């Protein structure tokens, strides 16, 4: 009986030690990225301590034709502020004019601003992207490459028509 108790304890300890092998700095999940289609980035702030960032920034799927030059494209993005002060964020782009490009993110806040790029200088097709500049005023300024998102639902398909005279 003493031998079986010792064996049970040794087995439990070995299992606990081996279970810890998959954790830590270089674990499989340490470098995983959220499965969202857009640009996401977190920035650590030293003074005041905290972080600011952008999440899932992208252009919504416009249809198979994409966005045409001269047209407008809505920006979809989330901005967050984990600092001790309200945060002003300014968004600009060389691809066109960003309307309503300034927003305030409250302390501990997460906002989804209503922004649109007007007067696009070039066509932007599905699968392509455009670059915006996001300035967390007083903290950090970054360039973000925003993809055109995939459609939310599968596109309708039509059967292929064989040319006349071909077939089985």
């Amino acid at each position: 009986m003493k031998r079986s108790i010792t064996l049970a304890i040794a087995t439990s300890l070995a299992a606990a030690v081996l279970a810890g092998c998959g954790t830590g700095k270089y674990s499989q999940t340490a470098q995983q990225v959220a499965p969202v289609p857009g640009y996401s980035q977190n920035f650590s702030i030293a003074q005041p301590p905290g972080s600011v960032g952008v999440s899932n920034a992208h252009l919504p799927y416009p249809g198979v034709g994409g966005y045409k030059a001269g047209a407008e494209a809505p920006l979809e993005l989330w901005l967050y502020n984990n600092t001790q002060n309200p945060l002003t964020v300014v968004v600009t782009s060389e691809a066109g004019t960003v309307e309503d490009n300034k927003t305030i993110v409250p302390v501990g806040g997460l906002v989804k601003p209503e922004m649109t790029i007007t007067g696009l200088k070039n066509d932007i097709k599905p699968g392509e992207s455009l670059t915006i500049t996001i300035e967390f005023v007083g903290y950090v300024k970054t360039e973000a490459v925003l993809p055109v998102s995939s459609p939310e639902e599968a596109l309708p398909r039509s059967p292929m028509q064989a040319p006349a005279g071909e077939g089985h």
Side-chain angles (χ1 to χ4, degrees):
M1 174 122 165
K2 193 174 186 183
R3 191 181 276 179
S4 63
I5 292 173
T6 304
L7 181 60
I9 292 172
T11 303
S12 296
L13 287 173
V17 167
L18 291 175
C21 290
T23 62
K25 185 175 180 180
Y26 299 107
S27 70
Q28 181 180 6
T29 58
Q31 299 299 318
Q32 287 186 346
V33 178
V36 293
Y39 172 88
S40 296
Q41 185 68 48
N42 181 53
F43 300 96
S44 294
I45 304 299
Q47 288 297 326
S51 62
V52 297
V54 59
S55 181
N56 195 22
H58 64 277
L59 299 173
Y61 180 72
V64 293
Y67 295 102
K68 301 294 182 198
E72 62 182 42
L75 293 178
E76 291 202 2
L77 67 157
W78 289 90
L79 301 167
Y80 59 90
N81 175 15
N82 291 326
T83 67
Q84 299 169 358
N85 299 316
L87 176 66
T88 300
V89 180
V90 178
V91 177
T92 58
S93 179
E94 292 184 9
T97 303
V98 180
E99 299 293 328
D100 299 320
N101 71 329
K102 189 179 197 180
T103 192
I104 305 292
V105 185
V107 173
L110 176 68
V111 298
K112 184 179 181 187
E114 299 282 332
M115 294 184 182
T116 303
I117 297 181
T118 60
L120 289 171
K121 295 181 181 176
N122 299 306
D123 290 351
I124 304 171
K125 297 181 175 121
E128 296 181 340
S129 58
L130 65 76
T131 302
I132 64 171
T133 300
I134 304 170
E135 181 180 4
F136 298 91
V137 177
Y139 296 110
V140 66
K141 188 176 190 177
T142 186
E143 285 193 351
V145 178
L146 276 54
V148 174
S149 291
S150 300
E152 292 183 12
E153 297 179 5
L155 297 175
R157 298 186 183 256
S158 59
M160 287 184 58
Q161 299 296 322
E166 292 187 21
H168 298 300

Coordinates of all heavy atoms in Angstrom, one line a residue, residues 18-105:
L18 N 5.4 18.2 -16.2 CA 5.3 18.1 -17.7 C 4.2 19.1 -18.2 O 4.3 19.6 -19.3 CB 4.9 16.7 -18.1 CG 6.1 15.7 -17.9 CD1 5.6 14.3 -18.3 CD2 7.3 16.1 -18.7
A19 N 3.1 19.3 -17.4 CA 2.1 20.3 -17.9 C 2.7 21.7 -18.0 O 2.2 22.5 -18.8 CB 0.9 20.2 -16.9
G20 N 3.6 22.0 -17.1 CA 4.2 23.4 -17.1 C 5.2 23.6 -18.3 O 5.5 24.7 -18.6
C21 N 5.5 22.5 -19.0 CA 6.5 22.7 -20.1 C 5.9 23.5 -21.3 O 6.7 24.0 -22.1 CB 6.9 21.3 -20.6 SG 8.0 20.5 -19.5
G22 N 4.6 23.5 -21.4 CA 4.0 24.2 -22.6 C 3.7 25.7 -22.3 O 3.1 26.4 -23.1
T23 N 4.1 26.2 -21.1 CA 3.8 27.6 -20.8 C 5.0 28.4 -20.8 O 6.1 27.9 -20.8 CB 3.2 27.6 -19.4 OG1 4.1 27.2 -18.4 CG2 1.9 26.8 -19.3
G24 N 4.9 29.7 -20.7 CA 6.0 30.6 -20.6 C 6.2 31.5 -21.8 O 5.3 31.6 -22.7
K25 N 7.3 32.1 -21.9 CA 7.7 33.1 -22.9 C 7.6 32.5 -24.3 O 7.2 33.2 -25.3 CB 9.1 33.6 -22.7 CG 9.5 34.8 -23.6 CD 10.8 35.3 -23.2 CE 11.2 36.5 -24.1 NZ 12.5 37.0 -23.7
Y26 N 8.0 31.3 -24.6 CA 8.0 30.7 -25.9 C 6.9 29.7 -26.1 O 7.1 28.8 -26.9 CB 9.4 30.2 -26.2 CG 10.4 31.3 -26.1 CD1 11.3 31.3 -25.1 CD2 10.5 32.3 -27.1 CE1 12.3 32.3 -25.0 CE2 11.4 33.3 -27.0 CZ 12.3 33.3 -26.0 OH 13.2 34.3 -25.9
S27 N 5.8 29.8 -25.5 CA 4.8 28.8 -25.7 C 4.1 29.0 -27.1 O 4.3 30.0 -27.7 CB 3.7 29.0 -24.6 OG 3.0 30.2 -24.8
Q28 N 3.3 28.0 -27.4 CA 2.7 28.0 -28.8 C 1.8 29.2 -28.9 O 1.7 29.8 -30.0 CB 1.9 26.8 -28.9 CG 1.2 26.7 -30.3 CD 0.4 25.4 -30.4 OE1 0.3 24.6 -29.5 NE2 -0.1 25.1 -31.6
T29 N 1.1 29.7 -27.9 CA 0.2 30.8 -28.0 C 0.8 32.2 -27.7 O 0.1 33.2 -27.8 CB -1.0 30.6 -26.9 OG1 -0.4 30.5 -25.6 CG2 -1.7 29.3 -27.2
A30 N 2.1 32.2 -27.5 CA 2.7 33.5 -27.1 C 2.7 34.5 -28.3 O 2.6 35.7 -28.1 CB 4.2 33.3 -26.7
Q31 N 2.7 34.0 -29.5 CA 2.7 34.9 -30.7 C 1.5 34.9 -31.5 O 1.5 35.4 -32.6 CB 3.9 34.6 -31.6 CG 5.3 34.7 -30.9 CD 5.6 36.1 -30.4 OE1 5.3 37.0 -31.1 NE2 6.1 36.2 -29.2
Q32 N 0.4 34.4 -31.0 CA -0.9 34.3 -31.8 C -1.5 35.7 -31.9 O -1.4 36.5 -31.0 CB -1.8 33.4 -31.2 CG -1.5 31.9 -31.4 CD -2.5 31.0 -30.9 OE1 -3.4 31.4 -30.2 NE2 -2.4 29.7 -31.3
V33 N -2.1 36.0 -33.0 CA -2.7 37.2 -33.3 C -4.2 37.0 -33.4 O -4.7 35.9 -33.9 CB -2.2 37.8 -34.7 CG1 -2.9 39.1 -35.1 CG2 -0.7 38.0 -34.6
A34 N -5.0 38.0 -33.0 CA -6.5 37.9 -33.1 C -7.0 37.6 -34.5 O -6.4 38.3 -35.4 CB -7.1 39.1 -32.5
P35 N -8.0 36.8 -34.7 CA -8.4 36.5 -36.0 C -9.4 37.6 -36.6 O -10.6 37.3 -36.8 CB -9.1 35.1 -35.9 CG -9.6 35.2 -34.5 CD -8.6 36.0 -33.7
V36 N -9.0 38.8 -36.7 CA -9.8 39.9 -37.2 C -9.1 40.3 -38.5 O -7.9 40.2 -38.6 CB -10.0 41.0 -36.2 CG1 -10.8 40.6 -35.0 CG2 -8.7 41.6 -35.8
P37 N -9.9 40.8 -39.5 CA -9.3 41.1 -40.8 C -8.4 42.4 -40.8 O -7.7 42.5 -41.8 CB -10.6 41.3 -41.6 CG -11.6 41.8 -40.7 CD -11.3 41.1 -39.4
G38 N -8.5 43.2 -39.9 CA -7.8 44.5 -40.0 C -6.5 44.7 -39.3 O -6.0 43.8 -38.6
Y39 N -6.0 45.9 -39.3 CA -4.8 46.3 -38.6 C -5.1 46.5 -37.1 O -6.1 47.1 -36.8 CB -4.3 47.6 -39.2 CG -3.1 48.3 -38.5 CD1 -1.8 47.9 -38.8 CD2 -3.4 49.2 -37.5 CE1 -0.8 48.5 -38.1 CE2 -2.3 49.8 -36.8 CZ -1.0 49.4 -37.1 OH 0.0 50.0 -36.5
S40 N -4.2 45.9 -36.3 CA -4.4 46.1 -34.9 C -3.0 46.3 -34.3 O -2.0 45.7 -34.7 CB -5.0 44.8 -34.2 OG -6.3 44.6 -34.6
Q41 N -2.9 47.3 -33.3 CA -1.6 47.6 -32.7 C -1.8 48.2 -31.4 O -2.6 49.0 -31.2 CB -0.7 48.5 -33.6 CG 0.6 48.8 -33.1 CD 1.6 47.6 -33.2 OE1 1.6 46.9 -34.2 NE2 2.2 47.3 -32.1
N42 N -1.0 47.7 -30.4 CA -1.0 48.2 -29.0 C 0.3 49.0 -28.8 O 1.4 48.5 -29.2 CB -1.1 47.1 -28.0 CG -1.2 47.6 -26.6 OD1 -2.0 48.4 -26.3 ND2 -0.3 47.0 -25.8
F43 N 0.2 50.1 -28.1 CA 1.4 50.9 -27.8 C 1.5 51.2 -26.3 O 0.6 51.7 -25.7 CB 1.4 52.3 -28.6 CG 1.3 52.2 -30.0 CD1 0.1 52.2 -30.7 CD2 2.5 52.0 -30.8 CE1 0.0 52.1 -32.0 CE2 2.4 51.8 -32.2 CZ 1.1 51.9 -32.8
S44 N 2.6 50.7 -25.7 CA 2.8 51.0 -24.3 C 3.3 52.4 -24.1 O 4.1 52.9 -24.9 CB 3.9 50.0 -23.7 OG 3.4 48.7 -23.8
I45 N 2.8 53.1 -23.1 CA 3.1 54.4 -22.8 C 3.8 54.5 -21.4 O 3.3 53.9 -20.4 CB 1.8 55.3 -22.7 CG1 1.0 55.2 -24.0 CG2 2.1 56.7 -22.4 CD1 1.8 55.7 -25.3
A46 N 4.9 55.2 -21.3 CA 5.7 55.2 -20.1 C 5.1 56.3 -19.1 O 4.9 56.0 -17.9 CB 7.1 55.5 -20.3
Q47 N 4.8 57.5 -19.6 CA 4.3 58.6 -18.8 C 3.1 59.2 -19.4 O 3.2 59.8 -20.5 CB 5.4 59.6 -18.6 CG 6.5 59.2 -17.7 CD 6.0 58.9 -16.3 OE1 5.1 59.5 -15.7 NE2 6.6 57.9 -15.6
P48 N 2.0 59.2 -18.9 CA 1.6 58.4 -17.7 C 1.5 57.0 -18.1 O 1.3 56.7 -19.3 CB 0.2 59.0 -17.3 CG -0.4 59.4 -18.6 CD 0.8 60.0 -19.4
P49 N 1.7 56.1 -17.2 CA 1.8 54.6 -17.5 C 0.4 54.2 -18.1 O -0.6 54.6 -17.7 CB 2.1 53.9 -16.2 CG 1.7 54.9 -15.1 CD 1.9 56.3 -15.7
G50 N 0.5 53.3 -19.1 CA -0.7 52.7 -19.7 C -0.4 52.3 -21.1 O 0.7 52.1 -21.5
S51 N -1.5 52.2 -21.9 CA -1.3 51.9 -23.3 C -2.5 52.5 -24.1 O -3.5 52.8 -23.6 CB -1.4 50.3 -23.5 OG -2.6 49.8 -23.0
V52 N -2.2 52.7 -25.4 CA -3.2 53.2 -26.3 C -3.1 52.2 -27.5 O -2.1 51.5 -27.7 CB -2.9 54.6 -26.7 CG1 -3.0 55.6 -25.6 CG2 -1.6 54.8 -27.4
G53 N -4.2 52.2 -28.3 CA -4.1 51.4 -29.5 C -5.2 51.5 -30.4 O -6.2 52.2 -30.2
V54 N -5.1 50.7 -31.5 CA -6.1 50.6 -32.5 C -6.4 49.1 -32.8 O -5.5 48.3 -32.7 CB -5.7 51.3 -33.8 CG1 -4.4 50.7 -34.4 CG2 -6.8 51.3 -34.9
S55 N -7.6 48.8 -33.1 CA -8.0 47.4 -33.3 C -8.9 47.3 -34.5 O -9.8 48.1 -34.7 CB -8.7 46.8 -32.0 OG -9.0 45.5 -32.2
N56 N -8.6 46.2 -35.3 CA -9.4 45.9 -36.4 C -9.7 47.0 -37.4 O -10.9 47.2 -37.8 CB -10.7 45.2 -35.9 CG -11.5 44.5 -37.0 OD1 -10.9 44.1 -38.0 ND2 -12.7 44.3 -36.8
A57 N -8.7 47.8 -37.7 CA -8.9 48.9 -38.7 C -8.9 48.3 -40.1 O -8.0 47.6 -40.5 CB -7.8 49.9 -38.5
H58 N -10.0 48.6 -40.8 CA -10.1 48.1 -42.2 C -11.2 48.9 -43.0 O -11.9 49.8 -42.4 CB -10.5 46.6 -42.2 CG -11.9 46.4 -41.6 ND1 -12.1 46.3 -40.3 CD2 -13.1 46.3 -42.2 CE1 -13.4 46.1 -40.0 NE2 -14.0 46.1 -41.2
L59 N -11.3 48.6 -44.3 CA -12.3 49.2 -45.1 C -13.3 48.1 -45.3 O -13.0 47.0 -45.7 CB -11.7 49.6 -46.5 CG -10.6 50.7 -46.4 CD1 -10.0 50.9 -47.8 CD2 -11.2 52.0 -45.9
P60 N -14.6 48.4 -45.1 CA -15.6 47.4 -45.3 C -15.7 46.9 -46.8 O -15.3 47.7 -47.7 CB -16.9 48.0 -45.0 CG -16.6 49.3 -44.2 CD -15.2 49.6 -44.6
Y61 N -16.1 45.7 -47.0 CA -16.2 45.2 -48.4 C -17.2 46.0 -49.2 O -18.4 46.1 -48.8 CB -16.7 43.7 -48.3 CG -16.8 43.1 -49.7 CD1 -15.7 42.7 -50.4 CD2 -18.0 42.8 -50.2 CE1 -15.8 42.1 -51.7 CE2 -18.2 42.2 -51.5 CZ -17.0 41.9 -52.2 OH -17.2 41.3 -53.4
P62 N -16.8 46.6 -50.3 CA -17.7 47.5 -51.1 C -18.4 46.8 -52.2 O -19.2 47.4 -52.9 CB -16.7 48.5 -51.7 CG -15.5 47.6 -51.9 CD -15.4 46.6 -50.8
G63 N -18.2 45.5 -52.5 CA -18.7 44.8 -53.6 C -17.6 44.5 -54.6 O -16.4 45.0 -54.4
V64 N -17.9 43.7 -55.6 CA -16.8 43.3 -56.5 C -16.1 44.4 -57.2 O -14.9 44.2 -57.6 CB -17.3 42.2 -57.5 CG1 -17.7 40.9 -56.7 CG2 -18.4 42.7 -58.3
G65 N -16.7 45.5 -57.4 CA -16.1 46.6 -58.1 C -15.1 47.4 -57.3 O -14.3 48.2 -57.8
G66 N -15.2 47.3 -56.0 CA -14.3 48.0 -55.1 C -14.7 49.5 -55.0 O -15.8 49.9 -55.3
Y67 N -13.8 50.3 -54.5 CA -14.0 51.7 -54.3 C -13.4 52.4 -55.5 O -12.2 52.2 -55.9 CB -13.3 52.2 -53.0 CG -13.9 51.7 -51.8 CD1 -13.3 50.6 -51.1 CD2 -15.1 52.2 -51.3 CE1 -13.8 50.1 -49.9 CE2 -15.7 51.6 -50.1 CZ -15.0 50.6 -49.4 OH -15.6 50.1 -48.3
K68 N -14.1 53.3 -56.2 CA -13.6 54.0 -57.3 C -12.9 55.3 -57.0 O -13.2 55.9 -56.0 CB -14.8 54.3 -58.3 CG -15.5 53.1 -58.8 CD -14.7 52.2 -59.6 CE -15.5 51.0 -60.1 NZ -14.6 50.0 -60.6
A69 N -12.0 55.7 -57.8 CA -11.3 57.0 -57.6 C -12.3 58.1 -57.6 O -13.3 58.1 -58.3 CB -10.3 57.2 -58.7
G70 N -12.2 59.1 -56.6 CA -13.1 60.2 -56.5 C -14.2 59.9 -55.5 O -14.9 60.8 -55.1
A71 N -14.5 58.6 -55.2 CA -15.5 58.2 -54.3 C -15.1 58.3 -52.9 O -14.0 58.8 -52.6 CB -16.0 56.8 -54.7
E72 N -16.0 57.8 -52.0 CA -15.6 57.8 -50.6 C -15.6 56.4 -50.0 O -16.3 55.5 -50.6 CB -16.6 58.7 -49.8 CG -18.0 58.3 -49.8 CD -18.9 59.2 -49.0 OE1 -18.7 60.4 -49.1 OE2 -19.8 58.7 -48.3
A73 N -14.9 56.2 -49.0 CA -14.7 54.9 -48.4 C -14.8 55.0 -46.8 O -14.1 55.8 -46.3 CB -13.4 54.2 -48.7
P74 N -15.7 54.3 -46.2 CA -15.8 54.4 -44.7 C -14.7 53.7 -44.1 O -14.2 52.6 -44.6 CB -17.2 53.7 -44.4 CG -17.4 52.8 -45.6 CD -16.8 53.4 -46.8
L75 N -14.1 54.3 -43.0 CA -13.1 53.6 -42.2 C -13.8 52.9 -41.0 O -14.6 53.5 -40.4 CB -12.1 54.6 -41.7 CG -11.2 55.3 -42.7 CD1 -10.3 56.3 -41.9 CD2 -10.3 54.4 -43.4
E76 N -13.4 51.7 -40.8 CA -13.9 51.0 -39.6 C -12.7 50.7 -38.7 O -11.7 50.1 -39.2 CB -14.7 49.8 -39.9 CG -16.0 50.1 -40.6 CD -17.0 49.0 -40.5 OE1 -16.7 47.9 -39.9 OE2 -18.1 49.1 -41.1
L77 N -12.7 51.2 -37.5 CA -11.6 51.0 -36.5 C -12.1 51.2 -35.1 O -13.1 51.9 -34.9 CB -10.4 51.9 -36.8 CG -10.6 53.4 -36.6 CD1 -9.2 54.0 -36.4 CD2 -11.2 54.0 -37.8
W78 N -11.4 50.6 -34.2 CA -11.7 50.8 -32.8 C -10.5 51.4 -32.2 O -9.3 51.0 -32.5 CB -12.0 49.4 -32.1 CG -13.3 48.8 -32.5 CD1 -13.5 48.0 -33.5 CD2 -14.5 49.0 -31.8 NE1 -14.9 47.7 -33.5 CE2 -15.5 48.3 -32.5 CE3 -14.9 49.8 -30.7 CZ2 -16.8 48.3 -32.1 CZ3 -16.3 49.7 -30.3 CH2 -17.2 49.0 -31.0
L79 N -10.6 52.4 -31.3 CA -9.5 53.1 -30.6 C -9.7 52.9 -29.1 O -10.8 53.0 -28.6 CB -9.5 54.6 -31.0 CG -9.3 54.9 -32.5 CD1 -9.6 56.4 -32.7 CD2 -8.0 54.5 -33.0
Y80 N -8.6 52.6 -28.4 CA -8.8 52.5 -27.0 C -7.7 53.2 -26.2 O -6.6 53.5 -26.8 CB -8.8 51.0 -26.5 CG -7.6 50.2 -26.9 CD1 -6.5 50.1 -26.1 CD2 -7.5 49.5 -28.1 CE1 -5.4 49.4 -26.4 CE2 -6.4 48.8 -28.4 CZ -5.3 48.7 -27.6 OH -4.2 48.0 -27.9
N81 N -8.0 53.6 -25.0 CA -7.1 54.4 -24.2 C -7.1 53.8 -22.7 O -8.0 53.9 -22.0 CB -7.7 55.8 -24.1 CG -6.9 56.7 -23.2 OD1 -5.8 56.4 -22.7 ND2 -7.5 57.9 -22.9
N82 N -5.9 53.2 -22.4 CA -5.7 52.7 -21.1 C -4.7 53.6 -20.3 O -3.7 53.0 -19.8 CB -5.3 51.2 -21.1 CG -6.4 50.4 -21.6 OD1 -7.6 50.6 -21.3 ND2 -6.1 49.3 -22.3
T83 N -4.8 54.9 -20.4 CA -3.9 55.8 -19.7 C -4.8 56.6 -18.7 O -6.0 56.3 -18.6 CB -3.3 56.8 -20.7 OG1 -4.3 57.7 -21.2 CG2 -2.6 56.2 -21.8
Q84 N -4.2 57.5 -18.0 CA -4.8 58.2 -16.9 C -5.4 59.6 -17.5 O -6.0 60.4 -16.7 CB -3.9 58.5 -15.8 CG -3.4 57.2 -15.2 CD -2.2 57.5 -14.2 OE1 -1.7 58.6 -14.0 NE2 -1.7 56.4 -13.6
N85 N -5.3 59.8 -18.8 CA -5.8 61.1 -19.3 C -6.7 60.8 -20.6 O -6.5 59.8 -21.3 CB -4.6 62.0 -19.8 CG -3.7 62.3 -18.6 OD1 -4.2 62.7 -17.6 ND2 -2.4 62.2 -18.9
P86 N -7.7 61.7 -20.9 CA -8.4 61.6 -22.1 C -7.4 61.7 -23.3 O -6.4 62.3 -23.2 CB -9.4 62.8 -22.1 CG -9.5 63.1 -20.7 CD -8.1 62.8 -20.0
L87 N -7.7 61.1 -24.4 CA -6.8 60.9 -25.5 C -7.4 61.5 -26.8 O -8.6 61.2 -27.1 CB -6.5 59.5 -25.7 CG -5.6 59.0 -26.9 CD1 -4.2 59.6 -26.7 CD2 -5.6 57.5 -26.9
T88 N -6.7 62.4 -27.5 CA -7.1 62.9 -28.8 C -6.4 62.1 -29.8 O -5.2 61.9 -29.8 CB -6.8 64.4 -28.9 OG1 -7.4 65.1 -27.9 CG2 -7.2 64.9 -30.3
V89 N -7.2 61.6 -30.8 CA -6.7 60.8 -31.9 C -7.0 61.5 -33.2 O -8.2 61.9 -33.4 CB -7.2 59.4 -31.9 CG1 -6.7 58.6 -33.1 CG2 -6.9 58.7 -30.6
V90 N -6.0 61.7 -34.1 CA -6.2 62.3 -35.4 C -5.8 61.3 -36.5 O -4.7 60.7 -36.4 CB -5.4 63.6 -35.5 CG1 -5.5 64.2 -36.9 CG2 -5.8 64.6 -34.4
V91 N -6.7 61.1 -37.5 CA -6.4 60.2 -38.6 C -6.3 61.0 -39.9 O -7.2 61.8 -40.2 CB -7.5 59.1 -38.6 CG1 -7.3 58.2 -39.8 CG2 -7.6 58.3 -37.3
T92 N -5.3 60.7 -40.7 CA -5.1 61.3 -42.0 C -4.7 60.2 -43.0 O -4.3 59.1 -42.6 CB -4.0 62.4 -41.9 OG1 -2.8 61.8 -41.5 CG2 -4.4 63.6 -41.0
S93 N -4.8 60.6 -44.3 CA -4.3 59.7 -45.3 C -4.0 60.4 -46.6 O -4.7 61.4 -46.9 CB -5.5 58.7 -45.6 OG -5.1 57.8 -46.6
E94 N -3.0 59.9 -47.2 CA -2.6 60.5 -48.5 C -3.5 60.0 -49.6 O -3.5 60.5 -50.8 CB -1.1 60.2 -48.9 CG -0.2 61.0 -47.9 CD 1.3 60.8 -48.3 OE1 1.6 60.2 -49.3 OE2 2.1 61.2 -47.5
A95 N -4.3 59.0 -49.3 CA -5.2 58.4 -50.3 C -6.5 59.3 -50.6 O -7.2 59.1 -51.6 CB -5.7 57.0 -49.9
G96 N -6.7 60.2 -49.7 CA -7.9 61.1 -49.8 C -8.0 61.9 -48.5 O -7.1 61.9 -47.7
T97 N -9.1 62.6 -48.4 CA -9.4 63.4 -47.2 C -10.2 62.7 -46.2 O -11.2 62.1 -46.5 CB -10.1 64.7 -47.6 OG1 -9.4 65.4 -48.6 CG2 -10.4 65.6 -46.4
V98 N -9.7 62.6 -44.9 CA -10.4 61.9 -43.9 C -11.4 62.9 -43.2 O -10.9 63.9 -42.6 CB -9.5 61.3 -42.8 CG1 -10.3 60.6 -41.7 CG2 -8.5 60.3 -43.5
E99 N -12.7 62.6 -43.4 CA -13.7 63.5 -42.8 C -13.9 63.1 -41.3 O -13.8 61.9 -41.0 CB -15.0 63.3 -43.6 CG -15.0 63.7 -45.0 CD -14.7 65.2 -45.2 OE1 -15.2 66.0 -44.4 OE2 -14.1 65.6 -46.2
D100 N -14.2 64.1 -40.5 CA -14.4 63.8 -39.0 C -13.2 63.0 -38.5 O -13.3 62.0 -37.8 CB -15.7 63.0 -38.8 CG -16.9 63.8 -39.2 OD1 -16.9 65.0 -39.0 OD2 -17.8 63.2 -39.8
N101 N -12.0 63.5 -38.8 CA -10.7 62.8 -38.6 C -10.2 62.9 -37.1 O -9.2 62.4 -36.8 CB -9.6 63.2 -39.5 CG -9.1 64.6 -39.3 OD1 -9.9 65.5 -38.8 ND2 -7.9 64.9 -39.6
K102 N -10.9 63.6 -36.3 CA -10.4 63.9 -34.9 C -11.5 63.3 -33.9 O -12.7 63.6 -34.1 CB -10.2 65.3 -34.7 CG -9.5 65.7 -33.4 CD -9.4 67.2 -33.4 CE -8.4 67.7 -32.4 NZ -8.3 69.1 -32.3
T103 N -11.0 62.5 -32.9 CA -11.9 62.0 -31.9 C -11.2 62.0 -30.6 O -10.0 62.0 -30.5 CB -12.4 60.6 -32.3 OG1 -13.4 60.2 -31.5 CG2 -11.3 59.6 -32.3
I104 N -12.0 62.0 -29.5 CA -11.6 61.9 -28.2 C -11.9 60.6 -27.6 O -13.0 60.1 -27.7 CB -12.2 63.0 -27.3 CG1 -12.0 64.4 -27.9 CG2 -11.7 62.9 -25.8 CD1 -10.6 64.9 -27.9
V105 N -10.9 59.9 -27.0 CA -11.1 58.6 -26.4 C -11.0 58.8 -24.9 O -9.9 59.3 -24.4 CB -10.1 57.6 -26.8 CG1 -10.4 56.2 -26.2 CG2 -10.1 57.5 -28.4

